[in-house]
Amino acid sequence: MASVNEAVRLECIADMLQHTGLDRESIETDFLRYLCHFMGRNPGSEDYYLFKALSYTTRDRLMTYWKETWHAYNNQNLKKAYYLSMEFLIGRSLSNNLLNLGIEHEAAEAMHDLTLSLEEIEDSERDAGLGNGGLGRLAACFMDSCATLQLPVMGYGLRYEYGMFRQRIQNGFQVEEPDHWLGTGQYPWEVMRSEYTRVVKFGGASRQYTDPHSGQLTVHWENAEEIQAIPFDVPIPGYKNQTVNTLRLWSASAQEGFNLTEFNAGSYHEAIAKKSEAENITMVLYPNDSSENGKELRLKQQYFLVSASLQDVIAQWKKHNDGFSRFAEYNAFQLNDTHPSLAVAELMRLLVDKEGIKWDEAWKITTQTMAYTNHTLLPEALEKWPVSLFERLLPRPLEIIYEINRRFLMQVAMKWPADLQRQRRMSIIDEHNNVSMAYLAIVGSHSVNGVAELHSNLLKEGLFHDFYEIWPEKFNNKTNGVTQRRWLAMCNPELRELLNDTIGEEWITDLSQLSNLKPYATDAGFQNKWAIVKRNNKKRLAGLIKKQTGVELNVDSMFDVQVKRIHEYKRQLLNVLHVIHLYSRIKRGDMENWTNRSVIFGGKAAPGYAMAKQIIKLINNVAEVVNSDPDVGDKLKVVFFPNYRVSAMEVICPGTDLSEQISTAGKEASGTGNMKFMMNGALTIGTLDGANVEIREAVGPENFFLFGLHTPEVEALRPHYNPQGYIDQCYELQAVMGLLESGHFNQFEPGLFDDIIHSMRSPNDPWMTLADFHAYITEQQIAASAYLNQSEWIKMSILNTACSGIFSTDRTMQEYNKDIWKLTPVSVSLEE
Ligand code: 26V
């Protein structure tokens, strides 16, 4: 590689800066140059081309800072952290990058000069849907906060050709369509970096050799298939701070000149088939957020991510360091759930087999660098992989896992010599010959954290109790957050302006400043302004809903919203039961203390999750009946928002009055949608689950609609849960079940909802939906009555925003950094 003189490097930077002015004229000039010269289009072309031209223009303006940040991180001895995640749910980037660069207004004016609308251009960007839901979006929020905090953190993920499927609703049913988000061209934000291509092995066999010179026993992984990992880098700008961090996404490709022998032997088709098999690895995101265990391709994806990323970090390390004695001092890996927990075995393999480091030394390095975050308590989501699959795909990592387990079980046996049961329970390889990825992650990490206080405690008491007994010091909590840049400043510009005018702009980088709003909660003038902003946001949301579904909402009705993945534990069903209850009240003329409502649902069901798909159909059928009944009119409207995604939430959360967070207590690890709603001034109706607990604590119980069983009550009730008893005791529930069971919502589709009805009536219903029904409708009535007093409601709405300061990922990242990573912030400055 050419080594460049520092003076030349600086000259190059100065030149780049000079040619990427942040003023309106420079933006306009560059935009036209990209559009007309580079892309061969003109300002009258489709919005998508305008979006691309403006994105390139924006990327140019990030590039200097990006290079400088890279330089600052790699040319001094700095500790760095790597966030390993199978998902980064980025969504759109143009408006976010303009905001963080501080050139939103300039870009809008430049477009205006050309009689173009920035908003329309931004709207034509497709979501980068490289994630399922909360876990993937959290990773994206973390990246934004790390860049803003100037932490040297790099994200590693996969560049799926197809992201999260697109959801269409046909006759009330979910239909999945492939999301070829890259389109025919490329993603304007990414930069391909072929020079950092890595090679990942699969299959073959592991052989031991005694080195003839040293007499050392070494292991070779032979006859493996080799697949190239090509990195594509995406810039992650901090907020107005000249820092641009990197998200590196790997794309699989067959080795260049692959299988020449097969080709020469005339097996051209086999050779091509092999090539496409290799490229399959990063073809598609698994659209499941709980089960789907045992799929070979998914395990390949996981190993591909982990191996390429670790090789990348080690190669970078070796450029500047001799040996690995200080590796753990300068590198930290955060595992986003168990999906990348093969990193434990892979780092051991690379250190022992490739770098010739002794096992004990390598193990020390591994456990000192790895940290694991758990994101779910649902047993079906805990990853296990058959040993047989490992034998076929990953023979050498399997041997290493066996050795890790052997040594670990010796440790357990020392501590509890007589307790064979415990040794069996804790084995990384279980009695059915499956590798438990969670146990591998715990054993190989120095830190294990949950994502909300309740969840972290439940991990210690339940799922990981045995491990907590050996290593209590590993366990800690890091309550989730969301980035206020995207989830307030960007998605709610009117509220941003009101906040800036009232308390200044500091909240954008220090969300605790929002507490300065508290004195305004009872100020009539301020309440008025607040109400106007909320109403405008509701108008915008109603407009989008009208466009997507044809349903017209009354902006003065209460917008009651539940958007999230469709899952039984999240209990969209409980919400539907409440809707049916309201409908039945209207039909029987029980209109006392009535509040008009628009109930909005949105979310995707995993394609193989039959019950979740039935729930979508039920919501749509109920919507059809309710919305077309002339007795109902404006009193109640129900909509299912199709294809819920990041960019949809950016319109939904500012326009919401009531946020539904109604999972069975103890099941939702944290939730992050709950935080977005709160920040944008919605009130929550919710159970004591996940981060709801902390939300309620922050805003005060008088500003939160709490209902339902608590976690210990749920568990105590389980053995004698009797749904019929709840029906017998509650005439409202009898009316609701009567309507459902009479086929009122499936008149021409007999038996369609039998499974749903059966599941709610089952004494084994794990989600105990009927147990919380009465408490839920009671609290819903309290919320409805509260809404009738608008000044009270607005006060509570203001207080929700004012108390949401702790739910910034800036706070979350500071905690990860203080307790786990211990990085020093690096300021990047191009002033001189
Ligand atoms: C699991 C699987 C299983 C195999 C197929 C693909 C796949 C994809 C994702 C997952 C993980 C699901 C776990 C998850 O998303 N947890 C959510 O994490 C959020 C961020 O911490 C948290 O707010 C939510 O409460 C939690 O459900």
Side-chain angles (χ1 to χ4, degrees):
M1 203 176 27
S3 86
V4 171
N5 171 304
E6 181 66 5
V8 173
R9 195 184 71 81
L10 291 175
E11 195 185 311
C12 168
I13 285 173
D15 188 69
M16 280 177 78
L17 277 178
Q18 205 181 18
H19 288 97
T20 52
L22 299 178
D23 55 293
R24 161 189 189 163
E25 286 76 23
S26 313
I27 292 172
E28 190 178 323
T29 309
D30 269 13
F31 169 77
L32 286 175
R33 189 170 49 76
Y34 272 116
L35 186 69
C36 305
H37 294 231
F38 183 68
M39 293 166 53
R41 305 303 199 292
N42 56 61
S45 296
E46 288 156 47
D47 282 347
Y48 178 72
Y49 298 111
L50 309 180
F51 152 72
K52 255 184 135 160
L54 188 54
S55 297
Y56 285 130
T57 306
T58 308
R59 200 188 74 180
D60 278 357
R61 281 150 180 78
L62 293 171
M63 196 58 88
T64 326
Y65 303 120
W66 197 4
K67 285 184 173 181
E68 195 56 22
T69 306
W70 188 260
H71 184 80
Y73 289 173
N74 290 307
N75 286 281
Q76 42 186 310
N77 270 345
L78 281 178
K79 186 172 187 186
K80 280 172 273 172
Y82 304 95
Y83 199 74
L84 302 186
S85 177
M86 291 284 285
E87 307 188 5
F88 286 90
L89 223 185
I90 301 166
R92 291 176 177 161
S93 293
L94 177 55
S95 36
N96 190 253
N97 291 349
L98 291 174
L99 174 80
N100 283 12
L101 264 172
I103 57 170
E104 262 188 320
H105 293 299
E106 290 76 2
E109 285 169 349
M111 294 305 102
H112 185 81
D113 289 345
L114 300 166
T115 67
L116 299 171
S117 146
L118 176 59
E119 215 174 304
E120 282 169 27
I121 293 174
E122 287 171 342
D123 229 20
S124 69
E125 178 170 7
R126 297 186 65 164
D127 281 38
L130 308 185
N132 272 281
L135 165 144
R137 182 54 233 175
L138 184 76
C141 284
F142 280 7
M143 294 302 294
D144 179 86
S145 283
C146 288
T148 296
L149 294 167
Q150 306 196 302
L151 293 174
V153 174
M154 183 163 164
Y156 275 113
L158 296 181
R159 181 180 181 268
Y160 302 106
E161 204 83 23
Y162 291 84
M164 189 60 194
F165 67 80
R166 266 190 308 192
Q167 178 193 57
R168 229 170 15 90
I169 300 298
Q170 196 169 57
N171 182 31
F173 289 102
Q174 165 175 299
V175 177
E176 301 95 20
E177 285 173 351
D179 165 47
H180 197 251
W181 68 288
L182 294 163
T184 42
Q186 336 106 288
Y187 185 46
W189 301 108
E190 69 189 6
V191 176
M192 180 173 166
R193 295 240 184 264
S194 339
E195 67 272 34
Y196 299 119
T197 298
R198 310 290 168 198
V199 173
V200 178
K201 292 185 178 197
F202 291 99
S206 162
R207 279 230 167 75
Q208 296 201 347
Y209 285 95
T210 310
D211 189 297
H213 305 293
S214 63
Q216 277 261 354
L217 197 66
T218 59
V219 179
H220 290 214
W221 183 352
E222 297 178 344
N223 300 321
E225 184 189 0
E226 301 198 328
I227 294 176
Q228 286 190 338
I230 301 173
F232 287 74
D233 288 357
V234 179
I236 309 286
Y239 184 74
K240 295 185 183 171
N241 65 0
Q242 310 201 343
T243 292
V244 179
N245 280 351
T246 300
L247 171 59
R248 178 160 286 184
L249 302 176
W250 299 104
S251 178
S253 159
Q255 293 255 35
E256 230 176 296
F258 70 105
N259 268 317
L260 217 56
T261 43
E262 261 179 85
F263 186 78
N264 290 338
S267 339
Y268 180 70
H269 285 280
E270 281 85 341
I272 295 293
K274 279 239 165 97
K275 178 175 165 65
S276 75
E277 204 184 298
E279 288 166 7
N280 254 344
I281 293 182
T282 49
M283 194 58 73
V284 55
L285 166 80
Y286 273 88
N288 213 311
D289 63 350
S290 55
S291 52
E292 184 92 65
N293 279 329
K295 290 278 192 298
E296 172 167 335
L297 186 59
R298 169 85 179 171
L299 183 63
K300 277 186 148 181
Q301 290 184 338
Q302 296 184 347
Y303 183 67
F304 185 74
L305 165 67
V306 151
S307 181
S309 308
L310 291 175
Q311 289 183 54
D312 204 45
V313 172
I314 288 178
Q316 183 69 30
W317 172 259
K318 286 169 72 172
K319 265 199 220 162
H320 301 274
N321 298 275
D322 288 324
F324 285 79
S325 59
R326 312 197 72 178
F327 185 79
E329 249 174 86
Y330 289 101
N331 296 281
F333 297 98
Q334 192 70 38
L335 309 179
N336 197 20
D337 216 300
T338 54
H339 315 155
S341 57
L342 275 172
V344 170
E346 180 66 0
L347 184 55
M348 286 301 288
R349 185 184 75 84
L350 293 171
L351 294 176
V352 173
D353 295 358
K354 298 274 163 208
E355 304 299 335
I357 295 169
K358 293 262 173 21
W359 182 279
D360 289 319
E361 174 66 16
W363 184 244
K364 219 162 127 189
I365 294 172
T366 299
T367 52
Q368 282 173 0
T369 51
M370 296 287 162
Y372 155 57
T373 305
N374 173 282
H375 294 268
T376 179
L377 289 154
L378 298 187
E380 63 268 33
L382 290 180
E383 286 192 295
K384 299 210 163 181
W385 294 102
V387 163
S388 56
L389 195 54
F390 265 91
E391 281 167 344
R392 192 148 46 79
L393 242 43
L394 304 169
R396 180 56 186 154
L398 178 63
E399 286 179 347
I400 291 173
I401 293 171
Y402 279 139
E403 181 61 12
I404 293 171
N405 195 37
R406 188 185 68 79
R407 289 169 181 245
F408 166 61
L409 290 179
M410 270 177 16
Q411 217 181 320
V412 177
M414 292 247 265
K415 194 162 163 119
W416 293 283
D419 198 344
L420 290 175
Q421 281 288 8
R422 188 187 288 261
Q423 291 171 42
R424 193 187 45 73
R425 277 204 310 270
M426 297 183 77
S427 176
I428 295 173
I429 319 276
D430 72 11
E431 59 269 42
H432 308 295
N433 240 347
N434 289 316
V435 181
S436 159
M437 303 307 268
Y439 294 180
L440 177 62
I442 298 172
V443 172
S445 299
H446 65 282
S447 165
V448 176
N449 75 280
V451 290
E453 238 143 52
L454 174 70
H455 170 235
S456 297
N457 287 331
L458 293 173
L459 287 179
K460 293 194 278 191
E461 290 162 16
L463 205 54
F464 298 152
H465 185 71
D466 287 328
F467 294 88
Y468 176 62
E469 286 194 316
I470 319 191
W471 297 305
E473 70 285 356
K474 283 192 188 185
F475 286 77
N476 64 95
N477 172 249
K478 296 285 170 283
T479 299
N480 284 167
V482 302
T483 166
Q484 70 267 34
R485 266 79 59 191
R486 180 177 295 261
W487 295 111
L488 189 50
M490 186 191 108
C491 74
N492 200 340
E494 286 192 35
L495 190 56
R496 172 183 71 202
E497 293 315 316
L498 179 57
L499 293 174
N500 289 351
D501 291 346
T502 313
I503 59 169
E505 290 184 23
E506 255 179 88
W507 61 272
I508 301 180
T509 48
D510 173 11
L511 202 63
S512 69
Q513 297 290 324
L514 286 180
S515 65
N516 294 331
L517 267 183
K518 283 182 197 169
Y520 295 90
T522 49
D523 173 327
F526 186 75
Q527 283 189 354
N528 250 340
K529 293 182 191 164
W530 192 270
I532 291 169
V533 170
K534 181 57 86 179
R535 198 163 195 283
N536 287 340
N537 286 327
K538 288 171 77 173
K539 268 194 212 156
R540 177 162 66 126
L541 173 55
L544 182 63
I545 287 174
K546 169 84 182 141
K547 205 167 111 196
Q548 304 265 309
T549 68
V551 179
E552 211 149 333
L553 302 183
N554 176 356
V555 186
D556 293 313
S557 65
M558 174 203 261
F559 280 17
D560 169 350
V561 181
Q562 186 174 23
V563 288
K564 48 183 80 236
R565 287 301 287 262
I566 310 292
H567 223 294
E568 288 166 281
Y569 85 83
K570 296 179 187 279
R571 296 201 298 194
Q572 280 91 358
L573 270 180
L574 183 58
N575 192 348
V576 177
L577 295 185
H578 175 244
V579 170
I580 298 175
H581 163 68
L582 291 178
Y583 171 70
S584 117
R585 274 184 64 190
I586 296 171
K587 295 305 273 186
R588 62 173 184 265
D590 170 11
M591 301 303 290
E592 212 184 316
N593 267 319
W594 186 266
T595 302
N596 291 346
R597 274 196 208 234
S598 301
V599 184
I600 299 157
F601 291 88
K604 292 173 183 176
Y609 190 171
M611 189 65 85
K613 292 179 126 175
Q614 230 180 82
I615 293 170
I616 292 178
K617 173 64 174 163
L618 175 62
I619 295 169
N620 281 302
N621 278 21
V622 170
E624 179 69 36
V625 170
V626 168
N627 297 346
S628 59
D629 188 328
D631 294 348
V632 176
D634 259 4
K635 299 182 187 81
L636 182 62
K637 283 274 179 297
V638 184
V639 291
F640 187 88
F641 189 110
N643 199 31
Y644 174 62
R645 61 201 184 281
V646 173
S647 60
M649 185 57 157
E650 289 164 9
V651 183
I652 294 170
C653 69
T656 295
D657 294 309
L658 186 66
S659 149
E660 300 271 351
Q661 307 299 336
I662 59 178
S663 50
T664 311
K667 300 298 171 193
E668 188 70 90
S670 162
T672 46
N674 48 3
M675 301 169 184
K676 295 164 199 166
F677 284 119
M678 180 198 197
M679 224 171 254
N680 285 277
L683 276 69
T684 305
I685 182 160
T687 48
L688 267 192
D689 200 14
N692 295 353
V693 178
E694 290 152 80
I695 287 178
R696 179 166 171 269
E697 247 163 43
V699 73
E702 68 283 10
N703 301 307
F704 184 105
F705 301 105
L706 177 71
F707 75 96
L709 297 177
H710 299 186
T711 307
E713 293 168 339
V714 168
E715 295 317 318
L717 178 62
R718 211 176 277 294
H720 22 257
Y721 176 53
N722 173 22
Q724 187 60 48
Y726 293 95
I727 299 174
D728 294 342
Q729 280 165 31
C730 175
Y731 76 91
E732 291 96 338
L733 185 51
Q734 287 159 28
V736 168
M737 294 307 284
L739 279 171
L740 251 183
E741 290 175 340
S742 69
H744 191 81
F745 303 106
N746 52 321
Q747 300 214 352
F748 307 104
E749 301 164 301
L752 189 61
F753 301 126
D754 287 1
D755 291 346
I756 289 183
I757 294 165
H758 184 255
S759 77
M760 288 192 292
R761 282 184 160 281
S762 164
N764 298 316
D765 172 17
W767 325 114
M768 299 190 198
T769 304
L770 300 193
D772 279 342
F773 177 81
H774 188 76
Y776 181 52
I777 64 165
T778 306
E779 200 59 28
Q780 281 283 18
Q781 183 54 51
I782 293 173
S785 304
Y787 192 75
L788 292 177
N789 182 347
Q790 272 296 299
S791 153
E792 258 310 288
W793 184 275
I794 293 164
K795 181 188 100 191
M796 295 194 284
S797 166
I798 297 168
L799 286 175
N800 266 273
T801 301
C803 299
S804 66
I806 53 171
F807 300 109
S808 166
T809 35
D810 297 350
R811 186 268 314 147
T812 312
M813 290 296 86
Q814 269 158 340
E815 290 179 6
Y816 274 84
N817 191 42
K818 179 167 96 23
D819 300 341
I820 307 172
W821 306 334
K822 304 175 197 302
L823 313 172
T824 311
V826 180
S827 63
V828 178
S829 163
L830 281 173
E831 241 71 295
E832 310 90 68

